[in-house]
Amino acid sequence: DAGVTQSPTHLIKTRGQHVTLRCSPISGHKSVSWYQQVLGQGPQFIFQYYEKEERGRGNFPDRFSARQFPNYSSELNVNALLLGDSALYLCASSLDRGFREQYFGPGTRLTVT
Amino acid sequence: QQQVKQSPQSLIVQKGGIPIINCAYENTAFDYFPWYQQFPGKGPALLIAIRPDVSEKKEGRFTISFNKSAKQFSLHIMDSQPGDSATYFCAASMWGQNFVFGPGTRLSVLP
């Protein structure tokens, strides 16, 4: 069985631009969460989606948004990129909304110049 | 209250040693405490997890000790190997949501 997949692997953007990151959860998993991991720090929770609805949101500005599709894949969108948005963006999937075991993808490395 | 503190920041042990990583939390509503292992360029991988009604859990060479009254938990790696060299993160969550991660411990196991 394939694990969590994310695309693209790496991305370089300019300040002010917009970016879309994609995630496909493990087959059968219905919940997807997004995290931002700045170099040298632990992952920070951005969003959780379950059944296409936002079920949790971390302390991130409105420039960050996400959605989940009927096949449970998800997109994370970031508008008006800032230098500080440079990070590894991780997607994690879990079987259900309250299911505690979550599995991470390899991440998308975003560099904002 | 949502913070999880982790120490030490880095750790060096000899092969066969038992590195211990400690974490502390404030929010007593947390009900799930996992540990993740992350290699450079990879996403975190779930190692082992514990719930607050259990004081210890072992899976292979990895053991979690949990002290509910002190709001602390720790990871012990028995018979550590050079392949265990990685960054380890503790985390906490409520009802499987809104995970909070510690800042990480970089472990080096010398051959």
Side-chain angles (χ1 to χ4, degrees), chain B residues 1-5 23-30 33 68 70-73 92:
Chain B
Q1 264 220 331
Q2 287 294 91
Q3 197 177 17
V4 174
K5 296 180 180 179
C23 284
Y25 63 98
E26 287 296 324
N27 191 342
T28 55
F30 286 140
F33 302 88
K68 188 174 181 178
K71 292 185 282 186
Q72 295 175 350
F73 58 110

Side-chain angles (χ1 to χ4, degrees), chain B:
Chain B
Q1 264 220 331
Q2 287 294 91
Q3 197 177 17
V4 174
K5 296 180 180 179
Q6 183 173 347
S7 63
Q9 189 174 13
S10 63
L11 190 53
I12 300 174
V13 299
Q14 295 287 336
K15 177 183 173 182
I18 305 176
I20 300 172
I21 305 171
N22 301 298
C23 284
Y25 63 98
E26 287 296 324
N27 191 342
T28 55
F30 286 140
D31 65 357
Y32 177 72
F33 302 88
W35 284 90
Y36 287 86
Q37 178 190 58
Q38 187 175 30
F39 292 105
K42 304 289 186 183
L46 179 62
L47 265 181
I48 185 172
I50 198 167
R51 300 200 186 192
D53 54 344
V54 176
S55 61
E56 185 176 276
K57 183 176 181 181
K58 293 182 181 181
E59 284 187 6
R61 295 184 296 109
F62 300 95
T63 299
I64 298 180
S65 298
F66 190 87
N67 186 330
K68 188 174 181 178
S69 60
K71 292 185 282 186
Q72 295 175 350
F73 58 110
S74 60
L75 176 71
H76 301 228
I77 305 176
M78 306 301 176
D79 187 27
S80 59
Q81 301 296 314
D84 296 329
S85 297
T87 300
Y88 292 81
F89 294 97
C90 61
S93 78
M94 287 177 283
W95 316 301
Q97 301 175 55
N98 298 25
F99 280 72
V100 179
F101 281 76
T105 296
R106 179 175 285 186
L107 172 66
S108 297
V109 181
L110 304 179

Side-chain angles (χ1 to χ4, degrees), chain A residues 30-94:
Chain A
K30 298 180 180 179
S31 180
V32 169
S33 297
W34 287 95
Y35 293 82
Q36 180 194 66
Q37 186 177 23
V38 173
L39 197 62
Q41 296 181 19
Q44 272 201 290
F45 172 73
I46 309 175
F47 288 111
Q48 183 187 33
Y49 273 78
Y50 173 72
E51 292 289 2
K52 296 175 289 181
E53 290 191 15
E54 181 183 308
R55 303 291 184 168
R57 184 183 187 113
N59 188 23
F60 280 81
D62 291 343
R63 299 185 296 108
F64 288 76
S65 64
R67 55 179 177 166
Q68 186 177 33
F69 299 99
N71 66 352
Y72 303 110
S73 66
S74 178
E75 280 183 357
L76 176 70
N77 295 283
V78 187
N79 292 324
L81 285 168
L82 303 174
L83 295 179
D85 294 331
S86 296
L88 181 68
Y89 288 85
L90 295 162
C91 172
S93 78
S94 57

